[in-house]
Amino acid sequence: MNGSGTQKKGKSKSEQPEYLASADYTLRAANAVLAVDLREVPVTRVSQFAVGWLRAAFEQSRSIAVLTASGLGYAAAPNRRAFWELTIRFLWLAGMPQSERALAADTMLDHERKTETKTDGYMRTNGLPSDIDVAEMAAFVLNVSEDKLVASQATNLTHAVKGAGTNLWMVYRLWREDSTWTHATGFLAGSYAPTNDGDMMGNGEPPHIDRNLEAHKIATAVITATVADLLLDEGAPSNLAGAPLSAFLQAN
């Protein structure tokens, strides 16, 4: 009787809630991928985007894991929103013909250059200092796509989802959900300060629909596999192109 009771107690103590096990899994994977040395990847516009987005995605993944493990997963909406957007952009870029990828990347950069130039103008018009180097950005040579469809997809995430060969609507749904809890919306205010029959304000927290990181784990696997394909197309040897995916799989 005593032995049986001890075993039951030990089993109960060792069990983890699913969100904690997923957070541990996610953190190990993120650390493993971020530790991969990709300095020998051939430098092209597309490979720079692939490696940069990869690192950005797994930095967000690491932050999401830490907040989730601390019971603060609901507060990770800004991190999740960035992560979903990166997932969409990866699949959008990989889904287009290889010959168009560099043009698409340059079109994104051109849009960002124009946005920064406008910001510099706003700052100066309102008598505020600006450290944006407009001249340096203008001197940067870009090969911008003349395809209006590519241009709209490069600058508008919804258009990218519509135009992607992969079905990205579920990821887009997650992005939209987390966008609600990222901005200063009425929904956000109502979640943190709910009212009781309109007479008293309480304390609350926003919901999140990927509480156990199930969709997140699938997305991280897809990202590392997509990076391997992109880097292979850019001339990286297979062992180097697949290194992030190998690190991801070995960590888990």
Side-chain angles (χ1 to χ4, degrees), residues 75-129:
N79 306 95
R80 288 195 303 271
R81 182 182 188 273
F83 178 83
W84 300 131
E85 184 170 340
L86 286 160
T87 302
I88 288 170
R89 282 301 181 192
F90 263 121
L91 294 173
W92 166 74
L93 188 64
M96 65 177 58
Q98 183 182 353
S99 60
E100 295 179 13
R101 291 174 189 163
L103 288 171
D106 271 9
T107 303
M108 290 187 75
L109 289 172
D110 183 59
H111 175 70
E112 292 164 7
R113 175 165 61 183
K114 290 174 181 174
T115 300
E116 283 292 281
T117 300
K118 287 180 181 178
T119 301
D120 177 76
Y122 295 147
M123 298 289 285
R124 297 184 186 280
T125 298
N126 288 282
L128 297 169

Side-chain angles (χ1 to χ4, degrees), residues 155-212:
T155 58
N156 186 300
L157 195 68
T158 303
H159 293 176
V161 173
K162 289 179 179 178
T166 310
N167 185 351
L168 293 175
W169 288 107
M170 180 52 70
V171 185
Y172 182 72
R173 166 73 181 91
L174 293 163
W175 177 80
R176 289 296 295 262
E177 173 72 15
D178 282 320
S179 295
T180 300
W181 316 113
T182 296
H183 302 296
T185 62
F187 291 112
L188 189 70
S191 293
Y192 277 107
T195 59
N196 181 16
D197 297 327
D199 297 326
M200 185 180 298
M201 277 197 292
N203 292 326
E205 60 191 45
H208 60 97
I209 57 178
D210 192 30
R211 186 173 297 275
N212 293 321

Side-chain angles (χ1 to χ4, degrees), residues 6-51:
T6 301
Q7 288 178 355
K8 287 182 179 179
K9 185 177 180 181
K11 182 180 178 182
S12 175
K13 192 174 181 179
S14 65
E15 287 177 349
Q16 268 189 322
E18 187 176 350
Y19 79 90
L20 285 178
S22 294
D24 178 64
Y25 173 105
T26 300
L27 184 59
R28 282 187 284 111
N31 285 333
V33 172
L34 289 169
V36 174
D37 186 350
L38 295 172
R39 286 177 293 180
E40 297 303 316
V41 169
V43 177
T44 67
R45 180 77 77 232
V46 175
S47 67
Q48 187 178 23
F49 267 65
V51 172

